[in-house]
């Protein structure tokens, strides 16, 4: 499926109502369900499968895969929220729109009329929401931000920061409109890299040293009820290279040890197969003279020593040898990934680079492979 001809500009429509939003309109303090959830830990587990967390080693394209997954899930009239927690504005760049504020904005339309919204969660603004919700600080909270106290608090207590980030995403998962329907069919989180994902998601342990009882403790427990549900999926993005694959295996082991639900493995930027194993074996044993004659018969010059066709033999065989080494490495890494016991999906390398059309192409590929 091809993307729309006209680039979609960031909208300002509030999910489920069709009304315009104001900056920060959908913060926790304006959502009664979120208040009850945070104070009392009233998170039910029905329907939590709608939370899709995407992680991966830096450089594997996890943000691209998360964006493509959000598009794939939004197909056929569904509504998806794509959440960014690292403050890099990678989502805005992929969808070719302005930087995302701390509000939910529509950024794309999927095939079949589905919609993709996006949210860049700012931990400082999330903490201001928290302070207003529980301590009614109002203007005093804004004054604390100007003094740098908010940034100081989220820096010295990284566990609190992660609770705020994951809590905002989980609130979006559970939010309902006035008719009782979920505001979003799916929430996709572009999560931190593999080396930090388990600690990021295991917020209950992270805040144990901060609070044993009270609102923060209740908040962390409520988040964990969502994240540790068997229906929540944490997907890992990797490449067919030794280091990313090893990090993927280590990350999956850590997630499983922490009781967090692992979803699928998505191999990104897979190169097309030019020669199979049998053809590579044939290349290794073919005489140079035969290669020169074949090139000459194709009109590439003379096959004798010094001829144009003969001069092409060495670089051609070197390329074949390099490809053979790459082919063997990828075969070995596929075997390693296969031993992890998880569904495996492969996304092609887009040689022309990543743009909005490429995202739609990857989304279509994910749909074909049953990711939605």
């Amino acid at each position: 499926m091809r993307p729309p001809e006209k680039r979609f500009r960031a909208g300002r429509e509030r999910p489920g109502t069709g009304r315009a939003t104001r900056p920060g309109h959908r913060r926790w303090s304006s959502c009664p369900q979120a208040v009850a959830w945070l104070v009392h830990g009233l998170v039910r587990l029905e329907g939590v499968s709608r939370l899709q967390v995407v992680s991966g080693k830096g450089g594997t394209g996890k943000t691209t895969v998360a964006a493509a997954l959000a598009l794939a899930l939004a197909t056929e009239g569904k509504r998806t929220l794509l959440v960014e927690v690292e403050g890099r504005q990678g989502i805005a760049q992929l969808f070719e729109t302005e930087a995302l504020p701390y509000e939910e904005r529509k950024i794309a339309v999927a095939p079949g009329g589905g919609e993709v919204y996006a949210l860049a969660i700012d931990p400082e603004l999330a903490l201001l929401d928290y302070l207003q919700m529980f301590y009614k600080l109002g203007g005093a909270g804004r004054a604390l931000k100007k003094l740098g106290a908010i940034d100081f608090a989220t820096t010295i207590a990284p566990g609190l920061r992660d609770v705020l980030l994951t809590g905002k995403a989980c609130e979006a998962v559970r939010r309902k409109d006035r008719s009782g329907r979920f505001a979003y069919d799916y929430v996709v989180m572009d999560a931190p890299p593999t080396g930090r994902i388990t600690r990021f998601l295991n917020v209950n342990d992270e805040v144990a040293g901060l609070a044993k009882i009270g609102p923060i403790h209740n908040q962390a427990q409520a988040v964990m009820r969502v994240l540790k549900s068997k229906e929540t999926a944490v997907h890992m993005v990797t490449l067919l290279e030794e280091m990313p694959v090893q990090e993927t295996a280590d990350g999956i082991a850590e997630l499983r040890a922490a009781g967090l639900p692992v979803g699928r493995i998505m191999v990104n930027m897979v190169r097309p197969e030019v020669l199979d194993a049998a053809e590579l074996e044939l290349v290794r044993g073919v005489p140079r003279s035969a290669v020169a004659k074949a090139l000459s018969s194709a009109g590439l010059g003379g096959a004798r020593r010094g001829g144009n066709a003969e001069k092409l033999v060495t670089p051609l065989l070197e390329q074949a040898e390099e490809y053979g080494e790459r082919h063997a490495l990828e075969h070995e890494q596929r075997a390693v990934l296969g031993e992890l016991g998880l569904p495996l999906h492969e996304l092609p390398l887009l040689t022309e680079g990543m743009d909005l059309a490429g995202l739609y192409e990857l989304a279509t590929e994910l749909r074909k492979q049953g990711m939605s």
Side-chain angles (χ1 to χ4, degrees):
M1 299 180 183
R2 297 186 62 82
E5 295 297 325
K6 185 177 181 180
R7 189 178 76 181
F8 189 91
R9 293 186 62 82
R12 295 178 180 269
E13 184 180 77
R14 192 171 76 190
T17 68
R19 303 176 193 168
T21 61
R22 300 184 302 275
H25 180 83
R26 266 298 182 181
R27 296 182 184 176
W28 292 348
S29 55
S30 64
C31 182
Q33 296 95 329
V35 175
W37 165 64
L38 291 170
V39 176
H40 304 293
L42 298 178
V43 175
R44 300 181 184 276
L45 298 182
E46 297 83 32
V48 182
S49 59
R50 295 174 303 105
L51 177 59
Q52 307 282 315
V53 181
V54 180
S55 181
K57 186 182 184 306
T60 60
K62 70 176 180 64
T63 299
T64 299
V65 174
L69 178 58
L71 275 171
L73 292 170
T75 306
E76 298 178 358
K78 301 294 184 181
R79 185 179 305 225
T80 302
L81 176 65
L82 179 58
V83 176
E84 181 176 81
V85 298
E86 294 186 282
R88 296 184 296 106
Q89 290 293 336
I91 292 173
Q93 294 175 27
L94 283 171
F95 284 94
E96 302 174 6
T97 186
E98 63 238 37
L100 297 173
Y102 184 52
E103 65 178 20
E104 292 155 23
R105 286 188 173 181
K106 187 163 68 174
I107 59 171
V109 176
E115 299 173 326
V116 177
Y117 286 74
L119 170 66
I121 303 178
D122 185 320
E124 290 188 10
L125 295 177
L127 182 53
L128 284 176
D129 279 348
Y130 177 86
L131 294 174
Q132 171 62 21
M133 188 182 304
F134 290 111
Y135 302 106
K136 309 300 180 184
L137 290 184
R142 291 187 290 273
L144 287 173
K145 177 175 173 59
K146 290 181 180 179
L147 293 173
I150 303 298
D151 181 59
F152 178 73
T154 55
T155 300
I156 65 171
L160 174 60
R161 179 182 183 275
D162 290 348
V163 169
L164 294 168
L165 294 171
T166 54
K168 185 66 176 177
C170 290
E171 179 272 317
V173 170
R174 300 306 302 156
R175 187 193 312 155
K176 294 183 179 180
D177 59 23
R178 293 180 180 179
S179 67
R181 295 182 57 186
F182 285 116
Y184 296 103
D185 297 289
Y186 300 97
V187 175
V188 178
M189 180 192 293
D190 177 20
T194 311
R196 206 165 67 83
I197 185 61
T198 301
R199 184 176 179 180
F200 174 77
L201 295 177
N202 206 20
V203 293
N204 196 40
D205 290 343
E206 285 298 299
V207 300
L210 296 175
K212 301 295 183 182
I213 59 174
I216 295 178
H217 176 79
N218 291 338
Q219 180 181 351
Q221 283 192 325
V223 170
M224 292 314 300
R225 289 180 186 177
V226 173
L227 296 179
K228 286 200 173 183
S229 164
K230 66 179 181 180
E231 296 179 281
T232 299
V234 184
H235 307 301
M236 305 298 284
V237 181
T238 187
L239 305 177
L240 288 176
E241 298 174 2
E242 188 172 358
M243 187 173 295
V245 167
Q246 185 58 54
E247 280 205 23
T248 298
D250 294 342
I252 290 172
E254 290 178 2
L255 288 168
R256 285 171 169 167
L260 292 162
V262 185
R264 308 179 184 211
I265 298 173
M266 286 176 272
V267 184
N268 196 23
M269 293 185 274
V270 177
R271 294 173 173 82
E273 186 176 86
V274 179
L275 302 172
D276 59 24
E279 290 168 333
L280 284 170
E281 188 63 32
L282 179 64
V283 168
R284 294 187 186 99
V286 66
R288 288 179 57 89
S289 58
V291 176
K293 290 179 180 179
L295 293 173
S296 180
S297 63
L300 297 178
R304 295 183 178 182
R305 183 177 296 276
N308 289 334
E310 194 274 338
K311 291 179 181 178
L312 293 173
V313 174
T314 296
L316 184 62
L317 292 179
E318 287 177 350
Q319 284 190 356
E321 183 179 359
E322 181 180 339
Y323 175 81
E325 293 174 355
R326 178 78 192 183
H327 183 275
L329 172 64
E330 291 179 348
H331 181 76
E332 292 172 1
Q333 299 310 311
R334 276 195 183 92
V336 173
L337 293 173
E339 293 174 357
L340 298 176
L342 295 172
L344 193 65
H345 302 268
E346 295 192 4
L347 293 172
L349 172 67
L350 302 181
T351 55
E352 296 182 359
M354 179 52 60
D355 55 12
L356 193 54
L359 276 182
Y360 279 85
E361 183 177 339
L362 295 181
T364 300
E365 187 62 32
L366 287 173
R367 290 280 296 179
K368 289 179 181 178
Q369 296 185 29
M371 274 296 295
S372 58

